[in-house]
Amino acid sequence: MKAVIQRVSQASVTIAGDKVANISNGLLVLLGIVAEDTQEDIAWLSKKIANLRIFEDEAGVMNTSLITSEGDAIVVSQFTLYASTKKGNRPSYIKAAKPDIAIPLYEAFVVQLETDLGKSVQTGEFGADMKVELINDGPVTIIIDSKNKE
């Protein structure tokens, strides 16, 4: 499971002209899933995201988490995070999990993140053509892979 985490001062997701998610301060999480992902990956990644100290404290130092800053989150499915560009110029997405595997894992991740944060998490719609807008605060963008826990 791979996530691109962006600290935002604003983010939204629009589908077919309807805004389905909208937050001010918080995190926009783009989530990629492979067939080998498990509940262990979900639990580890969710806890890491919820507790990642990338928000500023009173002294202006990145020292508080999404939990302590009481920020919001949007999670958007992003199969293109597993693009392979090794051969040619057209990316291959063969590593990304197929919908029958990815959808339940995506939904389980959202539930786990809601549990870890103690609040609702907004989402896009799996497989939909989404327009994602954001103002990256900082900018702060972090990539985390549950298979490479560095």
Side-chain angles (χ1 to χ4, degrees), residues 44-145:
W44 181 85
L45 186 58
S46 176
K47 183 177 180 183
K48 181 64 78 172
I49 290 170
N51 290 288
L52 201 59
R53 294 179 0 196
I54 58 172
F55 292 89
E56 292 180 357
D57 62 15
E58 317 74 45
V61 177
M62 284 198 295
N63 199 30
T64 62
S65 69
L66 187 59
I67 294 170
T68 56
S69 71
E70 298 181 356
D72 293 313
I74 299 176
V75 179
V76 175
S77 61
Q78 187 83 44
F79 74 93
T80 60
L81 291 179
Y82 281 102
S84 172
T85 58
K86 184 175 181 179
K87 294 169 65 176
N89 293 317
R90 182 174 184 210
S92 168
Y93 304 107
I94 197 143
K95 292 180 184 177
K98 303 291 184 244
D100 61 320
I101 294 170
I103 291 171
L105 291 170
Y106 169 76
E107 291 172 349
F109 177 82
V110 170
V111 169
Q112 183 64 56
L113 187 57
E114 288 178 331
T115 300
D116 290 342
L117 293 175
K119 63 183 344 183
S120 293
V121 170
Q122 297 184 48
T123 65
E125 181 181 318
F126 192 95
D129 180 17
M130 295 175 271
K131 306 303 179 210
V132 179
E133 293 183 271
L134 68 123
I135 298 175
N136 191 321
D137 182 24
V140 175
T141 301
I142 297 174
I143 301 170
I144 302 176
D145 189 332

